[in-house]
Amino acid sequence: MIKKEEVYKIGRIGKPHGVRGEVQLQFSDDVFDVVDADYLVLDIDGILVPFFMEEYRFRSDEIALMKFCDINTEAQARELTGCNVYFPRKLAEEGTDEVSWAQIVGYRLVDELSGHTLGTVSSVDESTVNTLFEVMTPDGGELLVPASNDLIVSIDTESRCITMRVPEGLSDL
């Protein structure tokens, strides 16, 4: 059984494309440029299920047309519409020394100076010029932390931990 901690979200299945069972994959992570994988993981009614890829081609920088094995009709493809798509962390980490923003969701965020854990990265907001980590604090609050490379000291993929020079007073907000 695939566990949520073993994967990270890379996109969502859109509408079917044609009648051969192809679907549109709207992706937000460039994992396809970095790692070769035989399968993707789809969230089907809360269960993470591997789907092996027969073929795919890029339609744009954010959409790929995907053909999964054993999905051969438009009706079968339509059943996948709206499913979240995940990629195995282990494959992504083996494929490169770089870590994408999507991969770090779920990592602990630690302040270098104090050594305290500020919380867990719940998402990464790239909608503005300044990328932000949205961090869920241990007491259930939310904290926004600038995701600047100048502030990131280290990223440990094994322990899933990011050590940062957190701006003074930020954790007191």
Side-chain angles (χ1 to χ4, degrees):
M1 184 169 169
I2 300 171
K3 297 177 184 165
K4 196 82 162 188
E5 305 85 52
E6 297 172 348
V7 296
Y8 67 97
K9 186 177 175 183
I10 63 165
R12 188 174 185 87
I13 299 291
K15 63 183 181 177
H17 179 80
V19 294
R20 291 187 330 113
E22 278 187 316
V23 293
Q24 292 185 30
L25 168 62
Q26 301 158 348
F27 60 93
S28 57
D29 189 281
D30 63 352
V31 72
F32 294 103
D33 293 340
V34 181
V35 181
D36 283 331
D38 295 329
Y39 68 95
L40 296 174
V41 178
L42 274 61
D43 184 338
I44 308 287
D45 298 327
I47 299 171
L48 297 176
V49 180
F51 276 76
F52 287 85
M53 297 179 285
E54 196 171 296
E55 63 183 10
Y56 64 89
R57 62 189 188 279
F58 295 101
R59 183 173 227 182
S60 71
D61 289 342
E62 297 172 344
I63 295 179
L65 298 178
M66 181 75 56
K67 173 72 172 82
F68 291 113
C69 294
D70 300 323
I71 303 295
N72 298 312
T73 67
E74 181 184 1
Q76 289 173 319
R78 190 169 304 285
E79 290 179 25
L80 302 177
T81 299
C83 290
N84 287 326
V85 180
Y86 297 86
F87 195 81
R89 286 186 188 276
K90 187 173 182 172
L91 289 177
E93 290 165 2
E94 289 173 359
T96 181
D97 293 333
E98 296 291 316
V99 179
S100 72
W101 291 133
Q103 281 177 267
I104 64 163
V105 171
Y107 278 40
R108 280 183 313 113
L109 189 65
V110 175
D111 181 13
E112 178 192 39
L113 187 60
S114 69
H116 288 102
T117 297
L118 298 176
T120 304
V121 177
S122 57
S123 67
V124 179
D125 181 356
E126 296 181 83
S127 64
T128 64
V129 174
N130 298 316
T131 302
L132 298 170
F133 291 144
E134 295 178 11
V135 178
M136 185 63 63
T137 61
D139 64 359
E142 187 174 89
L143 184 64
L144 297 175
V145 179
S148 167
N149 287 331
D150 295 337
L151 299 176
I152 297 173
V153 175
S154 67
I155 298 176
D156 184 345
T157 57
E158 191 127 336
S159 65
R160 298 181 63 197
C161 179
I162 302 169
T163 303
M164 289 187 71
R165 279 184 225 99
V166 178
E168 198 171 318
L170 184 70
S171 60
D172 299 330
L173 297 176

